[in-house]
Amino acid sequence: MKPTNEFTWRRHYDSVRKRSLMLAEPLSSEDCGAQSMPDASPVKWHLAHTTWFFETFILEPMETQFAPFHPAFRVLFNSYYNGIGERHPRAQRGLLTRPSLDEVRAYRANVDQRIARLLADRADNEALATLIELGLQHEQQHQELILTDVKHMLAQSVLYPAYSSAPPPAPAVPPAAGWVDVGGALTEIGHEGDGFCFDNELPRHRQFVQPFALAARLVTNGEYLEFIDAGGYRDPALWLSEGWDQVCALSLAHPLYWRRDAHGSWQEFTLHGMVPLAPDLPAVHLSLYEANAYAHWRGARLPTEAEWELAGRAADSGLHQMFGHCWQWTSSSYAPYPGYATAPGALGEYNGKFMLNQYVLRGSSSATPPGHARASYRNFFPAGARWQFTGIRLAK
């Protein structure tokens, strides 16, 4: 539910905005300006872009005598909104040595002060409330991207520096393996209720699901290592054609952040640095191609998003690790639901124009901000993406 007065709005707004700055605290200015690949963005850019969102979509149309903090920021920190105008090339965000990190922080402070004044005057304005909630949800998405992008950036150094100085949490004993049978149903899929959702979760619609079984937990590192040891990366019969092309082109032989040490033991790079591979933890940073090949090798398959949502809504179903560990690949292409319509204006570019050549993931990951997950949430990435916290839940 949306907050209902200025005080609760301010508290909600401040909490989300401060968390973004907190995520940058362990990093140097150099860390915050680096871009490790075109799909990732510098932390400094994330901090500025999420602020640009509030300035562009809220302050510009609603603030009396609006003036931009800096006119060039409209181009520098526009991500993909063609309706807004020009954009700095995505692959060149790491070249933006100016503005400095301190200037970006000043930009955030300025916009926050102006949003606070707007809330003081118009806290009961429904259009303002809707836009601020969207802006905060958008910022939470970028908070997860900050962690995934930082991890990829730090992994490029042979120093394998840790993002967090705290020791990694001790791995818990995984839930028992097994299958949970789910009866077929003519069910409804999509968001319901009064809480926030993105437009790609709508409209809620009927869909028939055949009886199926879903794995009780996620695939572990130890189980994925069995696939590697069995020659999974050397058997083209297990792979989708484009997946095998990627294996060959990139000489893939293991998940993204796995390495062997000088003694031949497996290690994994984490936000806590390089650590011994924990066999009981869920296997993460796997592409759809890797997930599908593993499922094929196990004589299973990946669930559809309708199957995942039907099972994910059930209470006390015997399913574990549905949320908070890793995003789980489905076999469903990212496409509009029946009756979907994009919003008017530039905000209509938020989700709809990406509904091509991508696959849906469900659940949430260890990097997902608290309160940002729900059963109807549709995450999406290209089939070859590996730098996100993506893993495997089997179906049959």
Side-chain angles (χ1 to χ4, degrees):
M1 295 292 291
K2 296 186 182 74
T4 55
N5 57 54
E6 178 196 352
F7 174 76
T8 51
W9 262 123
R10 282 293 308 277
R11 185 170 59 181
H12 182 41
Y13 179 90
D14 291 347
S15 174
V16 173
R17 297 282 285 165
K18 287 177 181 177
R19 186 174 188 270
S20 298
L21 293 175
M22 179 195 72
L23 291 175
E25 285 180 2
L27 302 169
S28 67
S29 295
E30 292 83 358
D31 290 332
C32 290
Q35 181 178 19
S36 56
M37 63 171 175
D39 285 341
S41 297
V43 171
K44 183 173 70 175
W45 188 91
H46 285 297
L47 295 176
H49 167 70
T50 50
T51 304
W52 170 95
F53 192 96
F54 285 102
E55 183 180 48
T56 302
F57 292 117
I58 298 177
L59 293 178
E60 184 169 337
M62 293 190 173
E63 187 179 42
T64 303
Q65 297 181 325
F66 169 81
F69 180 84
H70 193 302
F73 286 9
R74 186 178 181 88
V75 174
L76 292 179
F77 303 121
N78 180 3
S79 55
Y80 51 72
Y81 295 92
N82 295 311
I84 296 300
E86 293 183 69
R87 297 168 293 143
H88 182 81
R90 178 173 181 172
Q92 298 177 19
R93 291 171 182 170
L95 301 179
L96 297 175
T97 58
R98 308 290 176 89
S100 68
L101 182 59
D102 284 342
E103 288 174 300
V104 168
R105 289 195 179 105
Y107 178 39
R108 290 180 65 89
N110 175 270
V111 168
D112 288 347
Q113 291 168 3
R114 293 157 66 190
I115 290 288
R117 289 196 294 268
L118 199 60
L119 280 171
D121 293 337
R122 305 171 66 176
D124 59 348
N125 182 285
E126 184 66 23
L128 174 62
T130 298
L131 287 170
I132 286 185
E133 183 63 24
L134 178 61
L136 295 176
Q137 294 285 336
H138 166 260
E139 181 142 354
Q140 287 182 307
Q141 290 180 315
H142 279 269
Q143 289 170 355
E144 181 157 0
L145 288 171
I146 285 173
L147 292 175
T148 55
D149 293 358
V150 162
K151 183 174 181 179
H152 190 271
M153 180 268 296
L154 294 176
Q156 307 312 305
S157 170
V158 295
L159 296 173
Y160 296 122
Y163 165 78
S164 173
S165 60
V173 177
W179 296 91
V180 174
D181 291 325
V182 182
L186 179 60
T187 186
E188 290 192 342
I189 300 299
H191 182 76
E192 64 177 338
D194 297 328
F196 175 86
C197 73
F198 290 108
D199 64 355
N200 64 357
E201 300 170 59
L202 297 170
R204 189 166 172 83
H205 60 284
R206 291 186 299 171
Q207 189 163 342
F208 180 70
V209 178
Q210 295 278 6
F212 67 101
L214 204 59
R217 60 163 171 77
L218 300 169
V219 171
T220 66
N221 285 331
E223 291 166 338
Y224 198 83
L225 185 57
E226 294 174 7
F227 169 72
I228 296 174
D229 291 341
Y233 281 88
R234 301 190 299 274
D235 184 357
L238 298 174
W239 295 79
L240 296 167
S241 176
E242 287 187 3
W244 184 248
D245 289 346
Q246 187 183 62
V247 168
C248 296
L250 302 179
S251 300
L252 300 184
H254 52 73
L256 178 60
Y257 294 122
W258 290 23
R259 302 285 186 275
R260 286 190 186 272
D261 64 15
H263 305 288
S265 298
W266 283 106
Q267 295 184 305
E268 182 177 20
F269 182 70
T270 72
L271 290 170
H272 301 274
M274 192 68 80
V275 300
L277 184 71
D280 291 338
L281 287 180
V284 294
H285 299 293
L286 299 168
S287 68
L288 172 80
Y289 299 137
E290 291 168 302
N292 189 77
Y294 178 87
H296 190 179
W297 179 70
R298 285 291 187 192
R301 61 175 175 83
L302 301 178
T304 68
E305 65 168 325
E307 288 173 337
W308 196 100
E309 184 170 330
L310 176 61
R313 290 181 182 278
D316 301 321
S317 62
L319 295 169
H320 304 278
Q321 301 175 326
M322 296 294 279
F323 298 94
H325 295 271
C326 64
W327 292 100
Q328 299 152 50
W329 286 107
T330 74
S331 61
S332 298
S333 297
Y334 180 51
Y337 283 161
Y340 172 81
T342 58
L347 278 173
E349 300 183 55
Y350 198 104
N351 281 309
K353 71 180 187 180
F354 298 110
M355 293 175 172
L356 179 69
N357 298 334
Q358 309 208 62
Y359 279 81
V360 174
L361 299 107
R362 292 304 192 104
S364 61
S365 81
S366 57
T368 306
H372 195 66
R374 53 190 171 272
S376 63
Y377 197 113
R378 305 177 79 201
N379 202 353
F380 54 93
F381 280 98
R386 307 173 83 210
W387 93 107
Q388 294 299 310
F389 287 93
T390 50
I392 312 170
R393 183 181 298 274
L394 298 175
K396 65 178 182 181

